[in-house]
Amino acid sequence: MKNNLFRVAVLALSSLIFVIGCSDDKQEQTSKAPPMVQVYQVGKDTQPGVRRFVAKVDALSTVDMAFQVSGRINKLVDRQGVVIPQGDLLAALEPQDYQLALRQAQSSLRKAESDFERGKELKKENYISESDFDSLETAYENAEITHIVDSHPYRGQALIS
C-alpha cells in the first residue's frame, strides 16, 4: 500500500512540473542596442613610401665561432652591429696557451710516429696482430692531423670568411 502511495505522489509531482514548464507565460526578452563604434576615414600618407612599425629585428643567420685550442682570451674586439671586413681579428688567445697546445701536439706526433715505426718492425716478424698495427697506424694519422691543425698560422684568431 505504501508503495502505491509513493508511486501516485511521484506521478502527481512530475505531472505538476510538466504542466508548469509548458505554460504559455512568455517573458519579454529585451534586445540590447548595438555597441557604439568610431569610424575613421583613411586618407593618403603624408610621407609616401615611409611606414613605421614597432618590431624586434633578428638576424637572418648567426654563426657560432670557437677556438680549436682552449685557453684564455687575450684580446676581444667588441664591435656589435658593425660590418667587419674579411680578415679582421675578432679575438686572440694568450700566446702561452697556444704554444703549450702546439708543443703537446708535437710530442704526441713524435710518440705516435715512433710507435708506428716500431709496429712496422714487429708486424714483419708477426709479433703483433693486424688490429694492433691498425690501431698504431690510426693513432699516428690522428697525431699528424692534430699537429697540422695546431700549427696553422691563424691559430688563436677568429676570422670572418
Side-chain angles (χ1 to χ4, degrees):
M1 184 85 169
K2 285 184 179 182
N3 212 5
N4 287 337
L5 185 60
F6 179 71
R7 286 184 185 167
V8 170
V10 169
L11 184 60
L13 184 61
S14 53
S15 296
L16 181 64
I17 292 173
F18 179 73
V19 170
I20 292 172
C22 294
S23 67
D24 286 339
D25 294 338
K26 292 185 179 177
Q27 296 177 351
E28 287 187 31
Q29 295 182 0
T30 59
S31 61
K32 294 182 181 178
M36 295 295 292
V37 295
Q38 293 181 351
V39 178
Y40 291 101
Q41 184 68 29
V42 177
K44 292 184 178 181
D45 288 337
T46 58
Q47 296 177 338
V50 176
R51 296 183 183 191
R52 295 174 191 231
F53 300 98
V54 176
K56 178 182 176 186
V57 178
D58 286 329
L60 181 61
S61 63
T62 59
V63 176
D64 293 326
M65 297 187 304
F67 293 103
Q68 292 178 348
V69 175
S70 63
R72 284 184 247 139
I73 294 178
N74 184 19
K75 187 175 192 179
L76 180 64
V77 179
D78 183 21
R79 293 187 274 184
Q80 186 174 351
V82 176
V83 176
I84 299 172
Q86 181 177 354
D88 274 11
L89 178 69
L90 297 177
L93 291 178
E94 296 263 343
Q96 299 86 356
D97 295 333
Y98 164 68
Q99 292 299 325
L100 177 63
L102 180 59
R103 281 184 290 192
Q104 287 173 339
Q106 290 170 341
S107 174
S108 295
L109 178 61
R110 283 193 302 273
K111 182 183 182 314
E113 185 178 17
S114 68
D115 289 347
F116 179 63
E117 293 300 325
R118 190 172 334 128
K120 279 186 194 177
E121 296 299 320
L122 293 173
K123 186 179 176 229
K124 284 180 190 175
E125 303 295 327
N126 288 327
Y127 289 131
I128 62 170
S129 67
E130 188 69 31
S131 69
D132 288 342
F133 178 74
D134 290 343
S135 295
L136 292 173
E137 185 176 26
T138 302
Y140 175 61
E141 289 171 356
N142 287 340
E144 279 185 318
I145 292 169
T146 302
H147 181 261
I148 290 170
V149 169
D150 284 346
S151 60
H152 190 272
Y154 292 108
R155 212 55 200 129
Q157 296 180 0
L159 300 175
I160 301 291
S161 56

